[in-house]
Amino acid sequence: MTGGAGFIGSNLVRALVGLHHKVVVLDDLSTGLESNLDGTGAELVLGSIADPLAVDSAVRGADAIVHLAARGSVPRSIQEPEATHLVNATGTLNVLAAARTTGAHVIFSSSSSVYGANTVLPKREEMWMQPISPYAASKMAAESYALAYREVYDMDVLVLRFFNVYGPWQRPDHDYAAVIPRFAWNGLHGLPIEIHGDGNQTRDFTHVDSVVAVIIDALDRRFGWQTPVNLAFGQSISVNDVIAELNRQLGIVMEVVSLAARAGDVRNSMNDPALLTELFPQARAIAFSEGIASVLDWLR
Ligand code: NAD
């Protein structure tokens, strides 16, 4: 697994180890933490997916590669577009080249951000894409390479487009932290929160346990597919809804500081889960209130 020391990766590592799989993690610990793997028994190989030799040696002998390593965050990609491309696009090419040599099944984590300027909702896989950030462009390049490799080299490749994934082990404490862990952390500590725009922007927040379950199902079946598959359940939750749910569960009213809307952010995002539920009949959404409770429990 690449990026296994990160948020989604470390949740997946724990689930796979619990099922007695051997897991090797390639991670440069740029946003992930070694401590996220404590007690899992997974082997950590320190290195970058931008280094083809590091990728080759890490994936040797693997039946499958879950490729999660990436430079996340839209704002960060606007600051550093070349570095984003190097890791997210070229790094993915390195992973695909290694898998082509070994014959490993590949599952790649793309992003709903590829739809970008396309405002039609809900999102279906065949809709046109128009990235509006370097992050989204790098993910679109990477998923295109993944599906092209599948086609021409007859590889088992699955591209999953994650929407906004949240849950335990998502860091609240770095500059580009996602809203749920950051707001939850601030709420627990009585700190004000900052929102960009009016807070009515919506996301299809997806609990990490649902994502992990789909990936494990795909691994079990060595499942590949000719198009990307959107991984979200069609729930439209606004940033203001997130704040309201946190206030409710914490029994407080958080102080909100309003900032200008951010460049590169899409206004609304919501999936049509028809293909997901056809291909993964066992995929299940987790109620938002239950998901928020899991984040608060973990942060506590
Ligand atoms: P994360 O930042 O917690 O995890 C990414 C991991 O990749 C980290 O452990 C980091 O150290 C590692 N990494 C970064 N650059 C690397 C490099 N050059 N070489 C090796 N390792 C490197 O992020 P996450 O939320 O767990 O995201 C996992 C994947 O899912 C990413 O590809 C991300 O783009 C994608 N995704 C996430 C979301 C979400 O809402 N969390 C949404 C859409 C797509």
Side-chain angles (χ1 to χ4, degrees):
M1 184 187 312
T2 72
F7 157 50
I8 298 170
S10 60
N11 278 282
L12 181 61
V13 167
R14 274 185 299 279
L16 287 171
V17 167
L19 294 167
H20 308 293
H21 290 285
K22 180 175 187 292
V23 182
V24 176
V25 167
L26 174 65
D27 203 297
D28 68 355
L29 301 180
S30 51
T31 55
L33 297 170
E34 189 168 1
S35 59
N36 284 354
L37 299 174
D38 281 354
T40 63
E43 180 188 341
L44 174 63
V45 177
L46 256 182
S48 173
I49 57 165
D51 172 3
L53 295 179
V55 176
D56 282 347
S57 73
V59 307
R60 206 165 293 144
D63 302 317
I65 305 170
V66 183
H67 172 36
L68 300 169
R71 284 174 81 95
S73 161
V74 165
R76 188 181 185 201
S77 79
I78 296 171
Q79 297 295 321
E80 302 162 343
E82 296 88 354
T84 299
H85 179 90
L86 177 66
V87 173
N88 296 4
T90 308
T92 297
L93 205 49
N94 291 337
V95 170
L96 291 166
R100 184 185 166 202
T101 311
T102 64
H105 176 207
V106 178
I107 299 179
F108 169 59
S109 51
S110 188
S111 160
S112 60
S113 63
V114 296
Y115 294 110
N118 183 339
T119 56
V120 179
L121 293 176
K123 292 290 187 276
R124 290 191 312 275
E125 287 78 0
E126 71 275 15
M127 285 177 170
W128 55 273
M129 297 174 278
Q130 190 177 320
I132 55 170
S133 69
Y135 170 74
S138 71
K139 284 290 181 181
M140 184 170 156
E143 65 168 48
S144 305
Y145 275 124
L147 294 177
Y149 265 58
R150 177 183 185 279
E151 200 63 38
V152 295
Y153 304 123
D154 198 23
M155 292 165 55
D156 293 319
V157 173
L158 175 65
V159 172
L160 295 170
R161 286 190 188 136
F162 300 165
F163 282 56
N164 286 70
V165 186
Y166 74 102
W169 303 87
Q170 190 171 28
R171 290 181 68 171
D173 62 338
H174 61 76
D175 287 352
Y176 301 110
V179 289
I180 289 181
R182 199 172 53 225
F183 289 3
W185 176 267
N186 285 15
L188 282 167
H189 291 86
L191 299 168
I193 53 172
E194 294 180 339
I195 66 169
H196 294 269
D198 60 8
N200 289 325
Q201 60 272 44
T202 59
R203 296 290 182 269
D204 200 339
F205 287 105
T206 314
H207 195 271
V208 68
D209 288 354
S210 303
V211 173
V212 164
V214 167
I215 294 174
I216 290 178
D217 183 9
L219 286 170
D220 284 346
R221 294 188 278 143
R222 205 181 158 96
F223 188 76
W225 194 248
Q226 62 266 29
T227 69
V229 180
N230 293 344
L231 206 178
F233 295 89
Q235 306 182 88
S236 177
I237 297 164
S238 72
V239 169
N240 289 330
D241 293 336
V242 172
I243 297 168
E245 185 58 30
L246 285 167
N247 280 341
R248 194 183 67 78
Q249 293 199 22
L250 292 169
I252 59 171
V253 178
M254 281 187 273
E255 185 190 333
V256 175
V257 178
S258 294
L259 303 175
R262 278 192 325 203
D265 271 348
V266 302
R267 176 78 183 159
N268 298 303
S269 170
M270 187 183 75
N271 184 35
D272 174 348
L275 183 62
L276 175 73
T277 52
E278 181 193 331
L279 300 178
F280 298 94
Q282 292 162 24
R284 290 284 173 274
I286 288 172
F288 191 60
S289 56
E290 198 184 312
I292 288 291
S294 76
V295 172
L296 289 171
D297 282 350
W298 178 71
L299 285 173
R300 283 186 181 111

